[in-house]
Each structure stands twice: as structure tokens, then as C-alpha cells.
Short mmCIF file of all heavy atoms in Angstrom, two decimals:
data_model
loop_
_atom_site.label_atom_id
_atom_site.label_comp_id
_atom_site.label_asym_id
_atom_site.label_seq_id
_atom_site.Cartn_x
_atom_site.Cartn_y
_atom_site.Cartn_z
N LEU C 14 2.24 4.03 2.57
CA LEU C 14 1.52 3.49 1.40
C LEU C 14 0.30 2.70 1.84
O LEU C 14 0.35 1.91 2.77
CB LEU C 14 2.42 2.57 0.59
CG LEU C 14 3.44 3.19 -0.37
CD1 LEU C 14 4.13 2.09 -1.17
CD2 LEU C 14 2.79 4.20 -1.31
N ASN C 15 -0.80 2.93 1.12
CA ASN C 15 -1.99 2.11 1.30
C ASN C 15 -2.60 1.89 -0.09
O ASN C 15 -2.08 2.38 -1.09
CB ASN C 15 -3.00 2.78 2.25
CG ASN C 15 -3.35 4.20 1.80
OD1 ASN C 15 -3.56 4.46 0.62
ND2 ASN C 15 -3.43 5.12 2.75
N GLU C 16 -3.68 1.14 -0.16
CA GLU C 16 -4.23 0.79 -1.47
C GLU C 16 -4.67 2.01 -2.26
O GLU C 16 -4.50 2.07 -3.48
CB GLU C 16 -5.39 -0.20 -1.31
CG GLU C 16 -4.93 -1.59 -0.91
CD GLU C 16 -5.94 -2.67 -1.26
OE1 GLU C 16 -6.78 -2.43 -2.17
OE2 GLU C 16 -5.89 -3.75 -0.66
N LYS C 17 -5.22 3.00 -1.60
CA LYS C 17 -5.66 4.20 -2.30
C LYS C 17 -4.48 4.91 -2.97
O LYS C 17 -4.55 5.29 -4.14
CB LYS C 17 -6.36 5.16 -1.32
CG LYS C 17 -6.88 6.44 -1.97
CD LYS C 17 -7.58 7.34 -0.96
CE LYS C 17 -8.06 8.63 -1.62
NZ LYS C 17 -8.74 9.52 -0.64
N ILE C 18 -3.40 5.10 -2.21
CA ILE C 18 -2.22 5.76 -2.77
C ILE C 18 -1.60 4.91 -3.88
O ILE C 18 -1.18 5.42 -4.92
CB ILE C 18 -1.17 6.03 -1.67
CG1 ILE C 18 -1.75 6.99 -0.62
CG2 ILE C 18 0.11 6.61 -2.26
CD1 ILE C 18 -0.85 7.19 0.59
N ILE C 19 -1.56 3.61 -3.67
CA ILE C 19 -0.99 2.70 -4.67
C ILE C 19 -1.73 2.81 -5.99
O ILE C 19 -1.12 2.93 -7.06
CB ILE C 19 -1.00 1.24 -4.15
CG1 ILE C 19 0.01 1.09 -3.01
CG2 ILE C 19 -0.70 0.26 -5.28
CD1 ILE C 19 -0.05 -0.24 -2.30
N HIS C 20 -3.05 2.79 -5.93
CA HIS C 20 -3.83 2.91 -7.17
C HIS C 20 -3.64 4.29 -7.81
O HIS C 20 -3.60 4.40 -9.05
CB HIS C 20 -5.31 2.65 -6.89
CG HIS C 20 -5.64 1.19 -6.71
ND1 HIS C 20 -5.65 0.30 -7.77
CD2 HIS C 20 -5.95 0.47 -5.61
CE1 HIS C 20 -5.97 -0.91 -7.32
NE2 HIS C 20 -6.15 -0.83 -6.02
N SER C 21 -3.52 5.33 -7.00
CA SER C 21 -3.29 6.68 -7.55
C SER C 21 -1.99 6.73 -8.32
O SER C 21 -1.90 7.33 -9.40
CB SER C 21 -3.26 7.71 -6.43
OG SER C 21 -4.52 7.82 -5.80
N ILE C 22 -0.97 6.09 -7.80
CA ILE C 22 0.33 6.07 -8.47
C ILE C 22 0.26 5.27 -9.76
O ILE C 22 0.76 5.69 -10.81
CB ILE C 22 1.41 5.48 -7.53
CG1 ILE C 22 1.66 6.44 -6.35
CG2 ILE C 22 2.71 5.20 -8.29
CD1 ILE C 22 2.55 5.86 -5.27
N LEU C 23 -0.37 4.11 -9.71
CA LEU C 23 -0.41 3.24 -10.88
C LEU C 23 -1.36 3.75 -11.96
O LEU C 23 -1.18 3.43 -13.14
CB LEU C 23 -0.81 1.83 -10.45
CG LEU C 23 0.29 1.07 -9.68
CD1 LEU C 23 -0.28 -0.18 -9.02
CD2 LEU C 23 1.43 0.70 -10.62
N GLU C 24 -2.32 4.54 -11.59
CA GLU C 24 -3.24 5.11 -12.58
C GLU C 24 -2.66 6.34 -13.25
O GLU C 24 -3.12 6.75 -14.33
CB GLU C 24 -4.57 5.45 -11.91
CG GLU C 24 -5.39 4.22 -11.54
CD GLU C 24 -6.57 4.53 -10.64
OE1 GLU C 24 -6.77 5.73 -10.31
OE2 GLU C 24 -7.29 3.59 -10.24
N ALA C 25 -1.65 6.94 -12.64
CA ALA C 25 -0.99 8.11 -13.22
C ALA C 25 0.07 7.67 -14.22
O ALA C 25 0.57 6.55 -14.17
CB ALA C 25 -0.36 8.95 -12.12
N ASP C 26 0.41 8.58 -15.11
CA ASP C 26 1.41 8.28 -16.13
C ASP C 26 2.80 8.67 -15.61
O ASP C 26 3.45 9.57 -16.12
CB ASP C 26 1.08 9.06 -17.41
CG ASP C 26 2.07 8.78 -18.52
OD1 ASP C 26 2.50 7.62 -18.64
OD2 ASP C 26 2.42 9.71 -19.27
N LEU C 27 3.24 7.96 -14.59
CA LEU C 27 4.57 8.18 -14.02
C LEU C 27 5.57 7.27 -14.71
O LEU C 27 5.23 6.18 -15.17
CB LEU C 27 4.57 7.87 -12.52
CG LEU C 27 3.86 8.86 -11.59
CD1 LEU C 27 3.77 8.28 -10.19
CD2 LEU C 27 4.58 10.19 -11.57
N GLN C 28 6.83 7.72 -14.75
CA GLN C 28 7.88 6.89 -15.34
C GLN C 28 8.63 6.08 -14.29
O GLN C 28 8.98 4.93 -14.54
CB GLN C 28 8.88 7.78 -16.12
CG GLN C 28 8.44 8.11 -17.53
CD GLN C 28 7.18 8.96 -17.55
OE1 GLN C 28 7.13 10.04 -16.97
NE2 GLN C 28 6.15 8.49 -18.23
N THR C 29 8.88 6.67 -13.12
CA THR C 29 9.70 5.98 -12.12
C THR C 29 9.15 6.21 -10.72
O THR C 29 8.78 7.33 -10.36
CB THR C 29 11.16 6.48 -12.16
OG1 THR C 29 11.68 6.38 -13.49
CG2 THR C 29 12.04 5.66 -11.23
N LEU C 30 9.11 5.14 -9.95
CA LEU C 30 8.75 5.21 -8.54
C LEU C 30 9.94 4.70 -7.74
O LEU C 30 10.39 3.56 -7.94
CB LEU C 30 7.52 4.36 -8.25
CG LEU C 30 7.18 4.14 -6.77
CD1 LEU C 30 6.81 5.46 -6.10
CD2 LEU C 30 6.04 3.13 -6.62
N VAL C 31 10.47 5.53 -6.86
CA VAL C 31 11.62 5.16 -6.06
C VAL C 31 11.20 4.93 -4.61
O VAL C 31 10.65 5.82 -3.96
CB VAL C 31 12.71 6.26 -6.11
CG1 VAL C 31 13.89 5.88 -5.21
CG2 VAL C 31 13.20 6.46 -7.54
N PHE C 32 11.46 3.72 -4.13
CA PHE C 32 11.27 3.42 -2.72
C PHE C 32 12.62 3.65 -2.04
O PHE C 32 13.62 3.01 -2.38
CB PHE C 32 10.84 1.97 -2.51
CG PHE C 32 9.53 1.61 -3.15
CD1 PHE C 32 9.46 0.67 -4.18
CD2 PHE C 32 8.35 2.19 -2.73
CE1 PHE C 32 8.26 0.32 -4.76
CE2 PHE C 32 7.13 1.86 -3.31
CZ PHE C 32 7.09 0.92 -4.33
N SER C 33 12.65 4.56 -1.09
CA SER C 33 13.91 4.89 -0.42
C SER C 33 14.13 3.93 0.74
O SER C 33 13.40 3.95 1.73
CB SER C 33 13.88 6.33 0.08
OG SER C 33 13.70 7.23 -1.00
N ALA C 34 15.14 3.07 0.60
CA ALA C 34 15.50 2.12 1.65
C ALA C 34 16.99 1.84 1.53
O ALA C 34 17.51 1.71 0.43
CB ALA C 34 14.69 0.82 1.50
N ASP C 35 17.64 1.71 2.66
CA ASP C 35 19.11 1.67 2.67
C ASP C 35 19.69 0.37 3.22
O ASP C 35 20.91 0.23 3.29
CB ASP C 35 19.65 2.83 3.50
CG ASP C 35 18.87 4.10 3.24
OD1 ASP C 35 19.14 4.74 2.22
OD2 ASP C 35 17.98 4.43 4.06
N ALA C 36 18.82 -0.55 3.63
CA ALA C 36 19.32 -1.77 4.25
C ALA C 36 18.37 -2.92 3.94
O ALA C 36 17.22 -2.72 3.53
CB ALA C 36 19.48 -1.59 5.75
N ALA C 37 18.87 -4.12 4.17
CA ALA C 37 18.10 -5.32 3.89
C ALA C 37 17.75 -6.09 5.16
O ALA C 37 17.23 -7.20 5.10
CB ALA C 37 18.88 -6.23 2.94
N SER C 38 18.04 -5.49 6.30
CA SER C 38 17.77 -6.18 7.56
C SER C 38 17.70 -5.18 8.70
O SER C 38 18.16 -4.05 8.60
CB SER C 38 18.87 -7.21 7.85
OG SER C 38 20.13 -6.57 8.01
N GLU C 39 17.09 -5.63 9.78
CA GLU C 39 17.10 -4.89 11.04
C GLU C 39 18.26 -5.43 11.89
O GLU C 39 18.66 -6.59 11.73
CB GLU C 39 15.77 -5.08 11.79
CG GLU C 39 14.58 -4.42 11.13
CD GLU C 39 14.56 -2.90 11.29
OE1 GLU C 39 15.62 -2.32 11.63
OE2 GLU C 39 13.50 -2.31 11.06
N PRO C 40 18.85 -4.64 12.76
CA PRO C 40 18.43 -3.29 13.14
C PRO C 40 19.01 -2.17 12.27
O PRO C 40 18.76 -1.00 12.55
CB PRO C 40 18.94 -3.18 14.57
CG PRO C 40 20.22 -3.98 14.55
CD PRO C 40 19.94 -5.14 13.64
N LEU C 41 19.79 -2.54 11.24
CA LEU C 41 20.46 -1.51 10.44
C LEU C 41 19.46 -0.56 9.79
O LEU C 41 19.68 0.66 9.77
CB LEU C 41 21.33 -2.16 9.36
CG LEU C 41 22.11 -1.21 8.45
CD1 LEU C 41 23.02 -0.31 9.26
CD2 LEU C 41 22.90 -1.99 7.41
N TYR C 42 18.36 -1.10 9.26
CA TYR C 42 17.37 -0.25 8.60
C TYR C 42 16.89 0.85 9.54
O TYR C 42 16.89 2.03 9.19
CB TYR C 42 16.18 -1.07 8.09
CG TYR C 42 15.08 -0.23 7.48
CD1 TYR C 42 15.11 0.07 6.12
CD2 TYR C 42 14.04 0.28 8.25
CE1 TYR C 42 14.11 0.87 5.55
CE2 TYR C 42 13.04 1.07 7.69
CZ TYR C 42 13.08 1.36 6.36
OH TYR C 42 12.10 2.15 5.79
N SER C 43 16.46 0.48 10.73
CA SER C 43 15.90 1.46 11.67
C SER C 43 16.96 2.38 12.26
O SER C 43 16.64 3.49 12.70
CB SER C 43 15.16 0.74 12.81
OG SER C 43 14.03 0.05 12.30
N LYS C 44 18.21 1.95 12.27
CA LYS C 44 19.28 2.83 12.73
C LYS C 44 19.52 3.95 11.73
O LYS C 44 19.86 5.07 12.11
CB LYS C 44 20.56 2.03 12.93
CG LYS C 44 20.57 1.16 14.18
CD LYS C 44 21.90 0.44 14.34
CE LYS C 44 21.93 -0.38 15.62
NZ LYS C 44 23.22 -1.10 15.79
N LEU C 45 19.36 3.62 10.44
CA LEU C 45 19.55 4.62 9.39
C LEU C 45 18.28 5.44 9.19
O LEU C 45 18.32 6.66 9.08
CB LEU C 45 19.96 3.94 8.09
CG LEU C 45 21.30 3.21 8.10
CD1 LEU C 45 21.50 2.47 6.78
CD2 LEU C 45 22.45 4.17 8.34
N ARG C 46 17.15 4.73 9.09
CA ARG C 46 15.86 5.40 8.85
C ARG C 46 15.10 5.44 10.18
O ARG C 46 14.20 4.62 10.44
CB ARG C 46 15.08 4.68 7.77
CG ARG C 46 15.84 4.68 6.44
CD ARG C 46 14.99 4.96 5.25
NE ARG C 46 15.84 5.38 4.13
CZ ARG C 46 15.63 6.44 3.38
NH1 ARG C 46 14.61 7.22 3.62
NH2 ARG C 46 16.44 6.75 2.39
N VAL C 47 15.47 6.39 10.98
CA VAL C 47 14.89 6.51 12.33
C VAL C 47 13.39 6.79 12.23
O VAL C 47 12.95 7.61 11.43
CB VAL C 47 15.60 7.64 13.11
CG1 VAL C 47 15.00 7.80 14.50
CG2 VAL C 47 17.10 7.34 13.20
N ASN C 48 12.63 6.08 13.04
CA ASN C 48 11.16 6.06 13.05
C ASN C 48 10.60 5.09 12.01
O ASN C 48 9.38 4.95 11.88
CB ASN C 48 10.53 7.44 12.83
CG ASN C 48 10.84 8.41 13.93
OD1 ASN C 48 11.20 8.01 15.04
ND2 ASN C 48 10.74 9.70 13.65
N GLY C 49 11.49 4.46 11.24
CA GLY C 49 11.04 3.52 10.23
C GLY C 49 10.82 2.12 10.78
O GLY C 49 11.18 1.81 11.91
N ASP C 50 10.20 1.28 9.96
CA ASP C 50 9.89 -0.09 10.35
C ASP C 50 10.02 -0.94 9.10
O ASP C 50 9.17 -0.89 8.21
CB ASP C 50 8.47 -0.15 10.91
CG ASP C 50 8.05 -1.54 11.36
OD1 ASP C 50 8.63 -2.53 10.87
OD2 ASP C 50 7.14 -1.64 12.20
N LEU C 51 11.09 -1.71 8.99
CA LEU C 51 11.36 -2.48 7.78
C LEU C 51 10.24 -3.47 7.47
O LEU C 51 9.87 -3.65 6.31
CB LEU C 51 12.69 -3.22 7.91
CG LEU C 51 13.11 -4.06 6.70
CD1 LEU C 51 13.23 -3.20 5.45
CD2 LEU C 51 14.44 -4.77 6.98
N GLU C 52 9.70 -4.11 8.48
CA GLU C 52 8.63 -5.09 8.26
C GLU C 52 7.42 -4.43 7.61
O GLU C 52 6.83 -4.96 6.66
CB GLU C 52 8.24 -5.75 9.58
CG GLU C 52 7.17 -6.83 9.41
CD GLU C 52 6.82 -7.51 10.73
OE1 GLU C 52 7.47 -7.20 11.75
OE2 GLU C 52 5.88 -8.34 10.73
N ARG C 53 7.05 -3.26 8.11
CA ARG C 53 5.90 -2.54 7.55
C ARG C 53 6.20 -2.06 6.13
O ARG C 53 5.36 -2.19 5.23
CB ARG C 53 5.55 -1.35 8.44
CG ARG C 53 4.48 -0.45 7.86
CD ARG C 53 4.00 0.58 8.86
NE ARG C 53 3.10 1.55 8.24
CZ ARG C 53 2.28 2.32 8.92
NH1 ARG C 53 2.23 2.26 10.23
NH2 ARG C 53 1.49 3.18 8.30
N VAL C 54 7.39 -1.53 5.93
CA VAL C 54 7.77 -1.04 4.60
C VAL C 54 7.79 -2.18 3.59
O VAL C 54 7.28 -2.05 2.46
CB VAL C 54 9.14 -0.33 4.67
CG1 VAL C 54 9.72 -0.11 3.27
CG2 VAL C 54 9.01 1.00 5.40
#
């Protein structure tokens, strides 16, 4: 996600935006979402 994508989403007539995340802390997040970075997300 960056500002350009964010504005594209908010300017569109979407009903639901789902952020896929499975944990609230590291290292569990990165163990489940390999290559992910909870701080960045």
C-alpha cells in the first residue's frame, strides 16, 4: 500500500476492504505470513 493506491481505493465505490492479517505481534505474524513485515503493514 502507498498513497496512490490508498486514494484509488477510497475514490472508488467499494463496499469492503479486507486487510489480511493473522496475528497481533511478531514473530507470530512473520511465521504465518512469510516474507511479511508487521511493522510495515
